[in-house]
Amino acid sequence: MAESNKMKDMSVNKLMIQMGIPMILSMALQAVYNIVDSAFVGNMRVGSEAALNALTLVFPVQMLMVAVGIGTGVGTNALLARTLGQGNSKKAAKVAGNSLFLGVIIYVVCFLFGIFGVKAYISSQTVDTEVLEMGVSYLRICCVISFGIIFFSLFEKLLQATGRSLYSTIGQVVGAVVNIILDPIMIYGIGPVPEMGVKGAAYATVIGQVASAVLLFIFHMKLNKEFEHDAKYMKPDTGIIKEIYAIGLPAIIAQALMSIMVYVMNLILKFNPSAQTAYGLFYKVQQFVLFLAFGLRDAITPIIAFAYGMRSKKRIQDGIKYGLLYTIVLMILEIAITEIFPGAFATLFNAGQSREYFISAMRVISISFLFAGINVAYQGIYQALDGGIESLVISLLRQLIIILPLAGVFSLFVRNGQMGISLIWWAFPITEVIACLAGYVFLKKIRKNKVDVLN
């Protein structure tokens, strides 16, 4: 079945599975970059504890770069899918071209931060000179050579919008394999390659990202035939850019809030470096779990957006139903794994003095995965139906308005010795439950105003 017809004619249940599985794998492999780096760095012969702490501190900026790339891609994805659903190939070409123009602007900003802003950022979170040096080295490399992750994120969404999610997964697999192969070679020094430590981890990461971006560029040029590819379509179009960010800006803010949340949590936990490192390690496991939900969301959004462009009430309703159902199943499975095997994850990272804090965080925060996954699915539904504000509000509740004040208050009891550090971890399940209730109210409102009125 032709890809353009598949989005229109295939049953939504089957389409959700066919598109969702490759996207879930793709996002899981994207999360692997950070987990693999931490696993290899945690087993360095010298300075492994400092290196793990350094990677914890740089993680928010890495996620911020991903946030801007993916958020721009999410806006492009939904707008392109809807435009193709309307049969407007000329506008689709402009949407794709303008997204690539935006990618160039994003890279320039990341490059400049890598040159001038990295040291000030890392020094705000630590006074340990070894951690500072490692963090600056790692993050500078990731920022200066960030064009790989930025353009991978854009080409991935361009392929997903036309139903070609399998090819984005192939690109992600290639990048992950390159990263995994190069990590031990460049970190420990194997063969003619010198031992580079955390610098080697950074180089392995960016090389894998560039490999993925190049491969997806080739797939995009050869396979996305529903619209033209020409440099003239990269000419900035204010109207197109506004439409992209009307959908994508809430997604960027949602992802960026994750970075802000981690940064502030690092500051809250600064009184206990072992707990700070444990949270950083657990957050990478948490991101792996939530990235699976993000992958399914990236199937939900174009499917519902395409149906919304067609004005097909039934396909929209099916997209909502199956999107939420499969998200719940996926999250229950992940909760079972993280609750049963916390010790195995701690051993993978060689968590050392942070081990007990890490296991405590995993057992408590994992409870929140079910509600967090549903919130992510809600946001994908909102974005497909022009509900950017609702998506933004859920993100603000989850990652700023509730979580940070709650964790800050709980930390006061911990510092005074009245409660254990696990009290801080309980801020996460409480936050996700409250946000999920708000998300359900928003979903009912959007269905009433956007879906029920369709013929």
Side-chain angles (χ1 to χ4, degrees):
M1 183 181 293
E3 299 294 337
S4 57
N5 291 333
K6 180 175 74 174
M7 294 288 285
K8 180 173 64 175
D9 298 328
M10 183 181 286
S11 73
V12 171
N13 185 20
K14 185 176 180 181
L15 186 61
M16 189 74 69
I17 294 172
Q18 190 178 102
M19 290 182 63
I21 290 175
M23 291 182 183
I24 290 168
L25 292 174
S26 178
M27 293 299 286
L29 288 168
Q30 189 163 312
V32 162
Y33 281 120
N34 292 305
I35 290 179
V36 167
D37 280 354
S38 295
F40 282 115
V41 163
N43 287 280
M44 285 167 47
R45 287 174 293 180
V46 179
S48 61
E49 286 276 344
L52 283 174
N53 198 359
L55 263 61
T56 294
L57 302 184
V58 306
F59 191 58
V61 172
Q62 285 183 291
M63 290 306 303
L64 186 60
M65 290 190 294
V66 171
V68 179
I70 287 182
T72 303
V74 165
T76 302
N77 183 341
L79 181 59
L80 183 60
R82 188 184 311 155
T83 303
L84 291 172
Q86 295 165 345
N88 191 342
S89 60
K90 185 174 181 180
K91 182 178 178 181
K94 289 183 179 181
V95 172
N98 273 254
S99 73
L100 299 180
F101 165 77
L102 293 170
V104 174
I105 302 300
I106 294 166
Y107 169 64
V108 171
V109 174
C110 292
F111 177 86
L112 293 174
F113 178 80
I115 299 296
F116 300 110
V118 165
K119 188 171 183 179
Y121 165 76
I122 299 295
S123 61
S124 72
Q125 300 174 85
T126 184
V127 294
D128 188 311
T129 54
E130 185 180 18
V131 172
L132 176 63
E133 181 183 353
M134 288 180 172
V136 169
S137 298
Y138 184 95
L139 187 55
R140 180 161 288 150
I141 292 167
C142 290
C143 290
V144 170
I145 315 179
S146 60
F147 58 85
I149 186 60
I150 292 167
F151 283 99
F152 166 79
S153 299
L154 295 175
F155 288 126
E156 178 186 45
K157 302 304 180 191
L158 290 171
L159 287 164
Q160 290 172 357
T162 57
R164 297 181 174 90
S165 55
L166 175 62
Y167 295 95
S168 67
T169 303
I170 292 171
Q172 186 68 267
V173 169
V174 169
V177 169
V178 169
N179 183 31
I180 292 169
I181 292 172
L182 291 181
D183 256 331
I185 294 174
M186 304 183 87
I187 292 172
Y188 308 138
I190 298 176
V193 180
E195 182 178 348
M196 290 187 279
V198 293
K199 285 186 178 180
Y203 281 121
T205 294
V206 296
I207 291 170
Q209 291 168 348
V210 171
S212 292
V214 170
L215 188 56
L216 290 197
F217 169 72
I218 295 170
F219 288 152
H220 168 68
M221 296 299 292
K222 288 185 174 296
L223 299 174
N224 277 345
K225 298 297 186 182
E226 289 83 359
F227 49 88
E228 290 185 48
H229 307 287
D230 196 298
K232 67 182 180 182
Y233 294 115
M234 290 183 65
K235 181 179 178 181
D237 184 314
T238 306
I240 296 290
I241 292 172
K242 284 182 179 178
E243 286 191 83
I244 288 174
Y245 282 123
I247 304 167
L249 186 59
I252 291 175
I253 295 173
Q255 297 274 347
L257 286 172
M258 294 164 65
S259 299
I260 294 170
M261 183 184 73
V262 175
Y263 177 72
V264 175
M265 285 296 297
N266 284 338
L267 296 180
I268 290 172
L269 294 167
K270 193 175 181 179
F271 73 96
N272 188 328
S274 293
Q276 187 184 57
T277 300
Y279 172 69
L281 293 176
F282 173 76
Y283 192 78
K284 295 183 179 184
V285 176
Q286 183 184 35
Q287 282 304 97
F288 181 82
V289 172
L290 292 184
F291 268 35
L292 303 184
F294 293 150
L296 190 51
R297 177 205 65 188
D298 288 345
I300 294 169
T301 300
I303 289 170
I304 296 177
F306 197 100
Y308 191 46
M310 291 172 57
R311 299 183 62 81
S312 173
K313 185 175 179 179
K314 184 179 186 306
R315 290 182 71 82
I316 294 172
Q317 292 172 333
D318 285 348
I320 294 172
K321 178 176 71 174
Y322 290 114
L324 288 172
L325 174 63
Y326 293 138
T327 297
I328 290 170
V329 171
L330 190 62
M331 290 300 100
I332 290 174
L333 177 62
E334 293 303 320
I335 290 172
I337 293 172
T338 50
E339 289 289 343
I340 294 171
F341 303 110
F345 286 99
T347 301
L348 172 67
F349 293 123
N350 192 20
Q353 296 178 9
S354 304
R355 181 183 179 89
E356 293 305 316
Y357 293 117
F358 175 82
I359 291 175
S360 170
M362 180 166 283
R363 290 205 180 278
V364 174
I365 303 177
S366 294
I367 298 169
S368 69
F369 289 165
L370 175 61
F371 305 99
I374 292 172
N375 284 325
V376 170
Y378 281 159
Q379 290 177 291
I381 296 166
Y382 303 156
Q383 289 158 7
L385 299 173
D386 287 334
I389 298 299
E390 289 83 354
S391 178
L392 176 58
V393 170
I394 292 298
S395 296
L396 288 169
L397 291 174
R398 293 179 59 223
Q399 291 152 339
L400 187 66
I401 294 173
I402 302 175
I403 181 69
L404 295 180
L406 203 57
V409 170
F410 287 171
S411 72
L412 298 178
F413 292 96
V414 175
R415 291 188 213 188
N416 294 333
Q418 298 177 29
M419 299 290 288
I421 198 81
S422 62
L423 178 64
I424 296 176
W425 310 142
W426 277 104
F428 290 86
I430 294 170
T431 296
E432 294 293 357
V433 169
I434 296 172
C436 195
L437 293 173
Y440 177 72
V441 173
F442 290 152
L443 180 61
K444 289 186 68 175
K445 177 184 174 183
I446 286 179
R447 290 183 72 159
K448 180 181 177 181
N449 295 336
K450 299 288 181 70
V451 183
D452 294 344
V453 297
L454 297 175
N455 292 326

